Amino acid sequence: MKRVPDFQIITANGPIPDNMIVDRESFYVHMMNFVVAGIYEGPSNEILCRFIDEDNNVYTSILEHDGYKMSLRRCLTYFEETEQFERCTVIKKALKNL
């Protein structure tokens, strides 16, 4: 089983989830890789990651197959905004395979 990564969040930066994640780039890279692997290799785990807040509360994030398209679109938006076009190409190809 693959290791489930932890991402730090600051709840005071909410309520928009993206604003709470401390290392957004690592989160989006992980989510993209998780979904792409799920598409081409089959899902090995539905646990995407764990979020840990400033009080050390742990929240487990589940990503099932029916959420792959929406998640890839969120990744695409992030990578377009940060001009990471190679990753955009990977995501567009994966979206065609859903």
Side-chain angles (χ1 to χ4, degrees):
M1 179 182 268
K2 294 182 182 178
R3 181 185 156 311
V4 176
D6 297 333
F7 293 98
Q8 297 297 315
I9 59 171
I10 300 173
T11 57
N13 293 347
I16 299 170
D18 278 0
N19 294 343
M20 292 191 289
I21 301 169
V22 173
D23 186 358
R24 285 179 47 194
E25 175 145 356
S26 292
F27 171 73
Y28 278 108
V29 168
H30 172 69
M31 185 160 61
M32 177 190 74
N33 291 334
F34 180 92
V35 173
V36 168
I39 292 169
Y40 295 113
E41 300 167 14
S44 63
N45 189 355
E46 292 181 347
I47 299 175
L48 173 66
C49 65
R50 286 184 295 269
F51 294 109
I52 302 173
D53 70 14
E54 58 273 19
D55 295 322
N56 286 322
N57 295 309
V58 178
Y59 307 90
T60 300
S61 179
I62 304 293
L63 180 55
E64 296 175 346
H65 189 269
D66 62 355
Y68 282 7
K69 187 176 282 190
M70 180 189 70
S71 296
L72 283 178
R73 287 185 178 145
R74 283 182 58 201
C75 289
L76 184 60
T77 299
Y78 175 79
F79 291 127
E80 286 175 339
E81 289 172 357
T82 57
E83 299 182 358
Q84 298 184 47
F85 300 115
E86 299 85 10
R87 290 190 168 129
C88 294
T89 301
V90 170
I91 293 168
K92 288 176 184 178
K93 182 178 176 186
L95 282 166
K96 289 180 182 178
N97 286 299
L98 276 177

